Amino acid sequence: MVQVSTAWLTDPPHQQVRDDVDLVLFRRALKEGAGFRFRRILLYDPPSDLGGAPDRYAAAQADHAAWIGRVRGHLATIGAEGSAGGSLPEGCEYTVRLLILGRAGTRTGPTVEDGLWTDPTPPADVQAAWSDPRLIPLDPHEELIIGPHRDRNPLWQGAFLG
């Protein structure tokens, strides 16, 4: 599943669908004994050019932080792989990677459009984006890591990506 459109942060119907999808995936992962693979690409942070009133960006930032916090909590609860290991049964995976939008002076990240695929193999552009080293894994345990140099901090990580 790819959810990188700003509508997930600014449009109430999209926000409701987003929250419903999060809950469905979480419940399925809790109940399923084996045989699921959930892979998601989400935004690392909202783009600064949302347009409209100045407080629109602040609202999108707050909504995004709450969303990522919920997803991180779901991953930790089900035992998804992360810095503290993982405890999902064999054949089960729930992984989230974060897309950093292009910043001035940096290379543009992978381009991929929103979508949901239930086939074992998503389209080639989604597979290519998933394999891009510029995506940052969402670590379920990152909130426990203290300091500005967390492994997944894009400013820290970006120093090594060249």
Side-chain angles (χ1 to χ4, degrees):
M1 176 174 246
V2 178
Q3 293 172 282
V4 295
S5 168
T6 57
W8 299 111
L9 305 171
T10 59
D11 181 45
H14 273 80
Q15 291 168 317
Q16 184 60 53
V17 169
R18 173 200 72 196
D19 295 346
D20 291 345
V21 166
D22 292 346
L23 192 56
V24 165
L25 293 177
F26 177 57
R27 287 181 176 168
R28 168 100 189 271
L30 277 176
K31 293 178 182 180
E32 190 70 38
F36 68 85
R37 184 170 77 170
F38 303 143
R39 290 182 170 182
R40 299 175 76 180
I41 299 176
L42 310 177
L43 287 177
Y44 177 81
D45 58 359
S48 59
D49 60 347
L50 290 173
D55 60 344
R56 188 171 186 201
Y57 179 69
Q61 274 188 309
D63 185 65
H64 180 268
W67 179 26
I68 295 299
R70 280 190 311 272
V71 172
R72 181 178 281 123
H74 292 168
L75 294 171
T77 300
I78 66 165
E81 191 67 34
S83 61
S87 60
L88 283 173
E90 185 70 29
C92 295
E93 174 191 354
Y94 190 167
T95 308
V96 177
R97 294 189 181 163
L98 303 174
L99 171 67
I100 298 176
L101 297 173
R103 302 307 202 251
T106 64
R107 294 185 321 189
T108 304
T111 303
V112 64
E113 295 196 21
D114 287 0
L116 168 66
W117 295 270
T118 57
D119 296 333
T121 307
D125 63 330
V126 175
Q127 291 182 63
W130 185 258
S131 301
D132 194 298
R134 291 171 288 182
L135 292 181
I136 297 173
L138 179 63
D139 191 328
H141 311 288
E142 185 176 351
E143 290 302 308
L144 305 175
I145 301 170
I146 299 172
H149 303 297
R150 293 188 264 196
D151 291 345
R152 283 127 190 108
N153 182 318
L155 300 175
W156 177 250
Q157 190 180 59
F160 302 104
L161 295 178

